[in-house]
Amino acid sequence: MSIEARKPHDLTVSEALVTEAESLGLDVAGAAEQGIARAIKAEKERRWKQENAEAIQASNDYVAKHGLPLAKYRMF
């Protein structure tokens, strides 16, 4: 099992959010880390879609004009 390196970082978080999280027994640091990980994933996806928009559009145009490749072999 590998242990991921940790970096301490000061974050300013709404006092009301921290109080509510603690009252619910949540790990505030863990929740913050999970939220940052989700934000990173969403941003990477957004950038990928933006960087590949031309190819995606070309593929969609091809399908619109010619239909799905190998469609005749589909069983549904």
Side-chain angles (χ1 to χ4, degrees), residues 5 14 18 23 25 31 51 63 68 76:
S14 162
V18 172
S23 74
E51 292 166 1
V63 170
L68 288 172
F76 52 93

Side-chain angles (χ1 to χ4, degrees), residues 65-76:
K65 184 176 182 180
H66 302 286
L68 288 172
L70 306 176
K72 65 182 177 182
Y73 300 109
R74 294 178 77 177
M75 303 299 283
F76 52 93

